[in-house]
Amino acid sequence: RIDLLMQAYENGIVDLEYMNKFQEKISGNIKHMLGTLDEFRTFFRPYDKTSSFDVKSMIEKVLVLVKDEFLNHKIKVIINENSVFSINGIENEFKHLILNLLNNAKDAFNENEISYEKREIIININQNNSRSSIEVCDNAGGISEDIINDIFKANITTKKEGKGSGIGLYLSSLIAQKYNGSLRVKNINNGASFIYEEKIS
């Protein structure tokens, strides 16, 4: 509480430098909360018109939404923009796709009890003469071979019984298909790689 902090300052328990740092921290937290609220407002606002949006910018907006939760779970996210490209579509729909992939990785870290020091998600943005892709890679232990071929089907989940509906990845695959793209997954060293890919017409 602010009043207790002021008492501590008046009684010499904390100094002016501590008070200034505290003020900076509070101001930063407020700025972040306002940014998060703004992102949630635009995230859930329905849009019918398509537009061209920058892929990296879109992903960064999603990361604002999950920033606090990912900090709590000690998950580090790295974006490698190997190519700059835009997508023509409804940006909020692609935000849902990316958000589902990030949350799936977060849940895998927790389900598999991956050490806090090792939790990392790498997002690669790539484009060549024929294809554009967004690759979301984690080191959360990978996906069981029993379900990996069916993971984008409705009601298939990687989570323990009662902890997931399996609808998130299914919806993500529908979004990809809507834009004539594809969503696939493969196991990599110590984790999984989800790849959204579309052909360049």
Side-chain angles (χ1 to χ4, degrees), residues 47-143:
Y47 287 106
D48 294 322
K49 295 182 178 179
T50 62
S51 62
S52 180
F53 56 88
D54 177 71
V55 169
K56 184 181 179 184
S57 177
M58 176 269 294
I59 293 171
E60 288 173 337
K61 291 174 184 176
V62 177
L63 292 180
V64 169
L65 297 176
V66 301
K67 180 179 179 181
D68 288 339
E69 189 171 13
F70 273 39
L71 282 174
N72 288 337
H73 291 280
K74 305 294 189 295
I75 300 170
K76 181 180 180 181
V77 181
I78 299 171
I79 301 177
N80 293 326
E81 189 179 33
N82 302 313
S83 303
V84 178
F85 75 90
S86 298
I87 291 176
N88 189 54
I90 299 174
E91 184 173 1
N92 277 7
E93 290 185 339
F94 278 88
K95 284 183 182 179
H96 277 291
L97 189 156
I98 298 299
L99 183 63
N100 285 334
L101 299 184
L102 292 175
N103 280 332
N104 194 72
K106 178 202 70 178
D107 292 339
F109 283 124
N110 294 330
E111 287 277 331
N112 296 326
E113 299 180 345
I114 304 300
S115 171
Y116 283 147
E117 292 76 23
K118 297 180 180 179
R119 299 183 175 196
E120 186 175 83
I121 297 173
I122 297 176
I123 303 175
N124 295 312
I125 302 171
N126 301 304
Q127 187 178 65
N128 56 33
N129 292 331
S130 60
R131 296 179 183 273
S132 301
S133 67
I134 304 168
E135 184 179 21
V136 180
C137 306
D138 63 57
N139 58 348
I143 300 166

Side-chain angles (χ1 to χ4, degrees), residues 126-172:
N126 301 304
Q127 187 178 65
N128 56 33
N129 292 331
S130 60
R131 296 179 183 273
S132 301
S133 67
I134 304 168
E135 184 179 21
V136 180
C137 306
D138 63 57
N139 58 348
I143 300 166
S144 170
E145 294 296 332
D146 295 338
I147 64 169
I148 193 168
N149 292 327
D150 299 318
I151 200 169
F152 296 113
K153 294 180 180 178
N155 302 321
I156 299 295
T157 178
T158 59
K159 301 175 180 64
K160 293 179 181 178
E161 187 174 352
K163 290 194 174 183
S165 65
I167 201 69
L169 292 177
Y170 172 66
L171 289 175
S172 294

